[in-house]
Amino acid sequence: MLDLIRQSASSWGVKILFGVIILVFVFWGVGSFTGSKTQVVATVNERPILVQTFRRAQERAIENIRQRNPDVSVEDLKAQGISTQVLQRLVADELLADQGNALGIRASDVEVRNKIASLPYFQSQSGQFDPELYRRILNSQHIQIAEFEDDMRRAIVTEKLQRYVTDSIQVPEWEARDLFDYSREKRTLQYLSVDDAKYMDQVNATDAEVQAYYDENKDDFSVPARISFSYLPFTPASLASKVEVSDETLQQEYEARKDEFTQPERVKARHILIQLEQNATEAEDQAALEKIEAIRTRIVDDGEDFATVAEETSDGPSAPNGGDLGWFSQGQMVPAFEEAAFSLTPGTVSEPVRTPFGYHLILVEEREDAQVAPFDEVKDQLKQEIAEDRATDLVSNLLDVALEQVYAGDSLDKVAGDLNLEVLKTDEPLDRDQVQSLLLLKQDSLNRLFGLEEGMITDTPLETEDGYVLATIGKRLPPDFQPLDEVRDSIVTTIKETKASKLAKEEAEALSETIQENGLPADRESELSVTSAFDRQGLIQELGVNPELTSKAFNAEKGDWIPGAWPVQDGWVVVRLDDIQSPTDEQWETEKSMWVDFIAETKKEELFQSFLKDLQEHAEINVYQPDLFK
């Protein structure tokens, strides 16, 4: 059986997109959910998997998932089939253990101890295995040491078994090179644009069309339930004004925390970026360097304004602002950029600086040495922090007094007046999201607030992230829809944009047909634009994400026009394949080992999955306790 599987491995194709394959263990359905063995979940070749074993494995699986994603509930996981997945893993473990025994594969006590000792979470800060830490971690997870070591022994056997099954896998260099060439190839497109805006003045939206659109899309204009309310916060920030903080205390706090108020050395700079990939070829690197040097000549020798040239030539996101980066200190930029910037005298332009993003020119405009912020600058900040810290003790005391008055029937205004506090009010009705942004309420408190009737006051405090709130409802507005008159303008714009886009598409399609039949009209040649180089992942920088267009581009020949009109953000384009950029031998030599390893691991994983499937198909598996899987 193994020979047959190994032989089939060598004929597998390699047309696999890099980054798309996800290596997973696939387990298959197991048996019929019938039976009556009350303490047994399943049997594998007549050996039982006990209910206790299953429940323990299920609890650990759920706990592991929820540690990574606390928002997932146990009910959600069960609905997604976590119980079946756990059972499939237990069945697979039994099958692999059986096969390991049959082949004489073992894990010695020494191997188990060494494997456990190598796990970093059982090691001290010095990197040595810590027996006490080992026991403590297992106890915290409610795992017996003997049980954990048995699981580890099984894992070692499985690793050995996998190596036994897959060690025959060999990857010829040509196969890896094929996948490398396929994945690393890039292309560029030439395109002609037809903008939707060209037709906006030629279309209209009638009253009937507006009404029909409103009726058909009414849910888009829904307005959720809203409330207006008055509220009295009991938080450290709201009560800070009731705390006195002396100047002497502030001065002492300032001296103790001076390090916090030290502003490091910083510079204010602009830059020009010519983008270049880290693994660019020598030719690409030289072209980018020559381009940035020519730009530097314009600024340094010809006296052109740096900001103006940056706006015209820079590939960086700051180009529209003249390359302005504002103020930054050390540690905020990549090392090469930072080293150059902090070595410049204000007013000077750097030589070309190479970073992972490409080549930069840097102009430092101003520089400030490290300094401690003066006391007067931070005094108010310190006062607020100290007052809030001390006000924490006032929250519960004042809240207790306020609640007594509320229970006695006093209004919120009366409570606030007696405590010398201020009642705050919403300017207009707010929906749930707006209320949450304002008060930062816990979810159950938000629900209670929206459950109050008009004129009612909260009989228990609403809990926020840092305190409590008492509130009284002024007005409730039920869910509704925005009136047509309020949204008419936006509907008219949407209808016109749809009609304009349709006309633009028709023009683009007609242009495509003309080109297919007669070639590109001579008077349109000057309108052609060229995209940046793109790979098979779907993103074309100038045209957006369009997997179908990308696929057709990689199936076209150089110079081919791709039939049809293709949507872009503000219109439509017709395109032809401009250039094919194959990866170089230099890139291949750099990445060769990675691609060989990638294909080898992929084949090994698929081979082992086939091995598992074969074990399952030849095993006797019966599953009981159907209620456990509901």
Side-chain angles (χ1 to χ4, degrees):
M1 181 267 292
L2 288 178
D3 288 341
L4 179 62
I5 294 174
R6 287 168 181 157
Q7 290 168 13
S8 67
S10 64
S11 64
W12 294 338
V14 298
K15 294 300 184 180
I16 307 164
L17 284 178
F18 182 69
V20 173
I21 291 181
I22 301 174
L23 304 180
V24 294
F25 278 88
V26 177
F27 300 116
W28 296 267
V30 285
S32 169
F33 285 82
T34 60
S36 59
K37 299 183 179 181
T38 58
Q39 298 303 315
V40 176
V41 177
T43 57
V44 181
N45 294 330
E46 299 186 353
R47 285 187 296 104
I49 297 175
L50 300 179
V51 171
Q52 180 183 6
T53 303
F54 168 78
R55 291 192 184 281
R56 194 160 56 239
Q58 183 184 52
E59 288 170 2
R60 287 178 193 158
I62 290 172
E63 184 176 351
N64 287 338
I65 293 172
R66 296 195 69 197
Q67 283 179 350
R68 297 191 299 269
N69 189 353
D71 294 333
V72 176
S73 68
V74 175
E75 291 72 22
D76 288 339
L77 291 173
K78 288 184 176 180
Q80 294 167 13
I82 185 70
S83 302
T84 301
Q85 294 169 31
V86 169
L87 178 59
Q88 290 170 344
R89 182 181 64 79
L90 293 173
V91 169
D93 286 348
E94 291 293 335
L95 292 172
L96 292 172
D98 275 353
Q99 190 64 23
N101 287 331
L103 294 171
I105 298 174
R106 302 285 187 271
S108 69
D109 292 343
V110 172
E111 287 177 304
V112 173
R113 286 196 299 271
N114 290 341
K115 182 68 173 179
I116 293 173
S118 71
L119 299 175
Y121 37 86
F122 295 142
Q123 295 175 354
S124 64
Q125 291 184 349
S126 63
Q128 300 298 313
F129 174 70
D130 186 336
E132 180 57 35
L133 179 62
Y134 174 55
R135 285 190 291 270
R136 191 165 64 248
I137 290 177
L138 292 186
N139 286 338
S140 70
Q141 300 295 316
H142 310 293
I143 301 173
Q144 299 294 323
I145 289 179
E147 178 187 358
F148 179 79
E149 292 179 353
D150 185 55
D151 287 344
M152 188 60 62
R153 191 181 306 276
R154 282 175 173 248
I156 294 171
V157 169
T158 298
E159 288 177 10
K160 289 183 176 182
L161 181 59
Q162 186 164 9
R163 288 197 297 272
Y164 172 80
V165 173
T166 63
D167 269 354
S168 63
I169 292 293
Q170 298 292 327
V171 178
E173 186 173 306
W174 65 262
E175 189 174 357
R177 180 64 190 257
D178 279 353
L179 180 57
F180 165 78
D181 288 341
Y182 178 84
S183 300
R184 287 288 192 239
E185 181 183 300
K186 293 186 177 182
R187 301 197 169 196
T188 58
L189 294 173
Q190 289 181 313
Y191 62 97
L192 289 171
S193 301
V194 181
D195 295 335
D196 294 343
K198 175 180 178 180
Y199 290 98
M200 282 296 285
D201 293 338
Q202 302 178 33
V203 293
N204 293 298
T206 66
D207 289 343
E209 288 172 328
V210 171
Q211 183 67 55
Y213 185 94
Y214 179 76
D215 293 339
E216 292 169 7
N217 300 276
K218 204 164 185 179
D219 287 346
D220 294 343
F221 309 111
S222 62
V223 179
R226 293 160 292 158
I227 57 175
S228 60
F229 57 96
S230 303
Y231 62 101
L232 188 58
F234 291 85
T235 64
S238 66
L239 300 178
S241 61
K242 301 180 74 66
V243 176
E244 292 293 334
V245 182
S246 67
D247 286 346
E248 181 182 359
T249 298
L250 292 175
Q251 188 66 50
Q252 291 174 349
E253 189 73 8
Y254 174 75
E255 294 298 332
R257 296 169 54 184
K258 258 187 176 179
D259 287 347
E260 294 181 29
F261 306 120
T262 298
Q263 178 179 285
E265 179 187 14
R266 60 178 190 161
V267 294
K268 185 175 185 294
R270 296 179 184 271
H271 84 133
I272 294 171
L273 168 66
I274 299 302
Q275 284 185 332
L276 185 66
E277 294 185 5
Q278 249 183 313
N279 59 351
T281 65
E282 286 188 19
E284 290 171 333
D285 188 285
Q286 184 62 33
L289 181 59
E290 289 175 0
K291 185 174 181 179
I292 199 82
E293 286 176 339
I295 294 171
R296 187 175 188 277
T297 298
R298 290 175 57 183
I299 298 168
V300 176
D301 296 342
D302 300 341
E304 292 190 48
D305 178 63
F306 190 100
T308 302
V309 176
E311 188 172 350
E312 174 191 334
T313 64
S314 179
D315 295 329
S318 63
N321 300 320
D324 187 13
L325 297 173
W327 289 95
F328 59 89
S329 54
Q330 291 185 349
Q332 294 181 260
M333 300 293 180
V334 293
F337 188 97
E338 185 177 284
E339 182 180 352
F342 280 88
S343 67
L344 290 172
T345 303
T348 59
V349 177
S350 71
E351 296 290 336
V353 178
R354 181 67 162 102
T355 75
F357 306 106
Y359 279 104
H360 306 254
L361 293 179
I362 307 169
L363 168 66
V364 169
E365 296 181 315
E366 297 181 58
R367 185 189 197 98
E368 287 185 355
D369 294 332
Q371 57 183 331
V372 179
F375 173 71
D376 288 340
E377 274 188 22
V378 300
K379 178 180 178 181
D380 291 341
Q381 174 192 337
L382 276 173
K383 184 174 183 180
Q384 183 66 22
E385 290 176 5
I386 296 171
E388 286 188 24
D389 185 56
R390 294 181 179 179
T392 302
D393 296 333
L394 293 176
V395 170
S396 58
N397 295 333
L398 291 179
L399 181 60
D400 288 343
V401 174
L403 286 173
E404 288 180 7
Q405 292 188 241
V406 169
Y407 295 150
D410 288 347
S411 68
L412 207 58
D413 287 328
K414 176 71 164 60
V415 173
D418 290 348
L419 296 177
N420 194 27
L421 299 174
E422 180 184 1
V423 173
L424 304 175
K425 298 182 180 181
T426 58
D427 295 329
E428 56 186 22
L430 306 178
D431 61 29
R432 291 177 68 93
D433 290 341
Q434 292 169 325
V435 172
Q436 180 62 11
S437 297
L438 175 67
L439 300 181
L440 302 178
L441 293 173
K442 299 293 179 67
Q443 192 60 44
D444 61 335
S445 293
L446 184 63
N447 293 338
R448 284 197 290 119
L449 179 60
F450 269 81
L452 293 177
E453 297 298 329
E454 291 183 3
M456 290 181 63
I457 187 172
T458 48
D459 54 0
T460 56
L462 305 173
E463 190 175 359
T464 72
E465 289 187 357
D466 62 347
Y468 301 90
V469 167
L470 297 178
T472 182
I473 300 297
K475 188 175 184 179
R476 293 179 56 86
L477 296 177
D480 200 356
F481 296 96
Q482 292 175 273
L484 176 57
D485 287 345
E486 288 186 7
V487 297
R488 180 180 296 276
D489 289 346
S490 67
I491 293 176
V492 167
T493 299
T494 299
I495 293 173
K496 290 180 65 177
E497 287 175 345
T498 300
K499 289 182 176 182
S501 183
K502 181 180 179 181
L503 293 175
K505 180 182 180 183
E506 291 172 356
E507 180 185 335
E509 288 174 336
L511 176 59
S512 176
E513 290 179 6
T514 298
I515 292 172
Q516 294 294 330
E517 294 174 1
N518 305 310
L520 177 66
D523 61 347
R524 304 296 297 268
E525 190 77 36
S526 62
E527 299 176 28
L528 282 170
S529 300
V530 181
T531 68
S532 306
F534 58 91
D535 57 25
R536 298 176 187 269
Q537 300 306 307
L539 173 63
I540 304 174
Q541 184 173 332
E542 292 79 6
L543 306 182
V545 177
N546 191 322
E548 184 182 359
L549 176 58
T550 302
S551 175
K552 287 185 178 297
F554 275 89
N555 285 313
E557 298 294 332
K558 186 173 179 178
D560 284 354
W561 285 92
I562 299 174
W566 299 92
V568 292
Q569 183 173 359
D570 298 312
W572 299 82
V573 293
V574 292
V575 301
R576 75 175 169 193
L577 184 60
D578 173 59
D579 191 27
I580 299 173
Q581 299 177 7
S582 299
T584 66
D585 290 341
E586 292 175 352
Q587 288 176 285
W588 165 243
E589 290 301 324
T590 301
E591 301 182 22
K592 177 167 58 178
S593 60
M594 179 190 75
W595 289 95
V596 171
D597 291 346
F598 172 74
I599 295 177
E601 291 304 314
T602 301
K603 285 189 172 185
K604 287 179 180 180
E605 186 62 32
E606 295 214 10
L607 178 58
F608 197 60
Q609 287 179 21
S610 297
F611 176 70
L612 280 172
K613 184 176 182 180
D614 187 78
L615 290 180
Q616 188 272 334
E617 289 175 347
H618 290 83
E620 181 183 346
I621 302 170
N622 295 293
V623 180
Y624 308 94
Q625 307 294 337
D627 289 344
L628 293 176
F629 303 91
K630 292 181 179 178

